Amino acid sequence: MDESEMKLMRVDYADLSSKQKEVFNFQKVAGALADYGLNCIKLADDWQGADFLAYQKDGEQTLKVQLKARVTIDRKYLGKDLYMAFPHNGIWYLIHHDELVRIAGETTNWLRTPSWREHGGYSSANPNQEMLAGLSDFSLKTAGEA
């Protein structure tokens, strides 16, 4: 097949390996952040807890971002000036981790669970409506969305 015959086929996320899913998710969130003037650099390994850096076009701010496939809080990220990026129902969110912990404490029972108290972490693919309402200011709308 030569270049003129190339056929692109959409992938099924469920068929991807865990590493492929991480790359896929990075590309998706990087595209959403581009609409906000942020350029993203994928890191080869976690640097200060970050999977990637997002810097503003004017160079005034660089965000350290931990990429997750679902909303996640973890004690090891507290006080590290990390942002969490995660999708929910096709919408990407970007929020400072410590703010996410505050919202989780106000809208869920996560901070009272054995997972958080004994193991220092909690994640959910289905946050409750109250939490989603608290996260609404941190959703990344892509170009063309209201």
Side-chain angles (χ1 to χ4, degrees):
M1 171 185 302
D2 65 35
E3 297 88 31
S4 64
E5 297 178 32
M6 186 179 94
K7 183 177 179 185
L8 296 177
M9 297 178 59
R10 295 181 69 86
V11 298
D12 185 348
Y13 184 81
D15 292 338
L16 300 176
S17 70
S18 61
K19 188 65 177 169
Q20 289 169 330
K21 287 178 180 177
E22 182 178 333
V23 171
F24 179 94
N25 284 336
F26 169 72
Q27 297 296 336
K28 290 288 193 176
V29 73
L33 289 170
D35 288 337
Y36 293 86
L38 292 163
N39 185 17
C40 297
I41 302 169
K42 180 84 173 88
L43 300 171
D45 57 357
D46 281 7
W47 176 72
Q48 297 184 7
D51 290 317
F52 69 92
L53 301 177
Y55 66 92
Q56 290 183 319
K57 63 179 179 51
D58 58 15
E60 289 187 19
Q61 185 177 24
T62 299
L63 308 178
K64 296 181 298 185
V65 184
Q66 176 62 223
L67 178 61
K68 295 295 184 185
R70 54 201 257 161
V71 59
T72 302
I73 57 174
D74 199 304
R75 214 175 264 130
K76 70 183 176 185
Y77 300 141
L78 287 171
K80 297 216 172 168
D81 197 26
L82 276 173
Y83 285 77
M84 304 302 285
F86 56 89
H88 179 70
N89 287 345
I91 297 171
W92 279 93
Y93 293 84
L94 180 70
I95 182 172
H96 195 276
H97 175 266
D98 296 2
E99 176 71 3
L100 180 58
V101 172
R102 184 191 66 74
I103 290 171
E106 292 176 357
T107 61
T108 72
N109 70 339
W110 295 7
L111 303 184
R112 296 184 298 278
T113 64
S115 178
W116 176 260
R117 291 191 339 231
E118 296 168 20
H119 305 290
Y122 196 97
S123 69
S124 175
N126 297 302
N128 66 34
Q129 291 302 312
E130 191 177 359
M131 180 178 219
L132 289 173
L135 293 173
S136 65
D137 288 342
F138 304 97
S139 67
L140 301 174
K141 306 288 186 198
T142 57
E145 289 182 294

